[in-house]
Amino acid sequence: GAVVSQHPSWVICKSGTSVKIECRSLDFQATTMFWYRQFPKQSLMLMATSNEGSKATYEQGVEKDKFLINHASLTLSTLTVTSAHPEDSSFYICSARGERNRYNSPLHFGNGTRLTVT
Amino acid sequence: TQLLEQSPQFLSIQEGENLTVYCNSSSVFSSLQWYRQEPGEGPVLLVTVVTGGEVKKLKRLTFQFGDARKDSSLHITAAQPGDTGLYLCAGLTTSGTYKYIFGTGTRLKVLA
């Protein structure tokens, strides 16, 4: 089955530093990847849609300058949390569409990255 | 903004009991998926329903998509401790970037 690898699985950083999270589709090509944020015991909140070779589409209320998304290849999207602050601490999850060019194909999720900003 | 409300938010039941989780919206979705998530992991897809009125069964789990494609339900028969987890519905928007919007989640705990 389709596998999505997310790295790192957890990271602790100091306030003011930047953190990069990688999301890779290991055995399929993903033209579209999605980045979600999840607070403890809550559901997933869509942050942005990442399209290979073009700019990401951010959801309302998500700061594009703070959460930089790059989707440079069909198998890799990155999320960089810039100048992280304690309120950015959260569980970040990426997902990729299972089949290229099928908008209704299921999502395959990475295992998430727990970010803690001290 | 399209919202998906799930009910109940929390459910704690004894092993062997039946339960139903609801996912409701005022918006129409192209399709709807159900996921289950364990702590510290990403959600795992359970099922996709596409057609209004569609019913799908996966062992002890029965999924239904509403006729108007605005709501869905998940019914679990004879729940087991292994069913414990966070259940999430996700609706695929009908236009634009075709993105999945997740429901508010139902946290299920099945006691042995």
Side-chain angles (χ1 to χ4, degrees), chain A residues 36 38 41 43 59 97 106, chain B residues 33 37 97-100 103:
Chain A
Y36 292 87
Q38 186 175 31
K41 299 186 178 180
S43 186
E59 294 299 301
R97 289 199 206 274
Chain B
Q33 299 184 337
Q37 185 183 22
T97 56
Y98 293 103
K99 56 195 178 187
Y100 281 97

Side-chain angles (χ1 to χ4, degrees), chain B:
Chain B
T1 303
Q2 293 171 290
L3 295 174
L4 276 167
E5 295 283 342
Q6 284 184 239
S7 61
Q9 280 186 286
F10 305 97
L11 191 55
S12 181
I13 60 173
Q14 293 292 325
E15 181 177 4
E17 292 184 6
N18 302 332
L19 67 118
T20 302
V21 177
Y22 299 93
C23 174
N24 295 299
S25 176
S26 58
S27 302
V28 176
F29 292 97
S30 297
S31 63
L32 194 137
Q33 299 184 337
W34 284 91
Y35 293 82
R36 189 173 82 194
Q37 185 183 22
E38 305 283 348
E41 298 180 9
V44 174
L45 178 67
L46 297 175
V47 78
T48 300
V49 284
V50 180
T51 308
E54 182 177 3
V55 176
K56 280 192 174 178
K57 289 193 175 185
L58 183 66
K59 296 184 180 179
R60 295 176 294 101
L61 279 60
T62 302
F63 305 86
Q64 184 164 10
F65 201 12
D67 291 340
R69 290 187 288 131
K70 293 182 179 181
D71 53 82
S72 180
S73 63
L74 157 61
H75 182 79
I76 301 179
T77 303
Q80 299 176 0
D83 296 327
T84 294
L86 177 65
Y87 287 82
L88 298 162
C89 62
L92 177 65
T93 58
T94 55
S95 62
T97 56
Y98 293 103
K99 56 195 178 187
Y100 281 97
I101 304 298
F102 276 79
T104 48
T106 295
R107 192 165 295 278
L108 171 66
K109 187 170 186 178
V110 183
L111 305 170

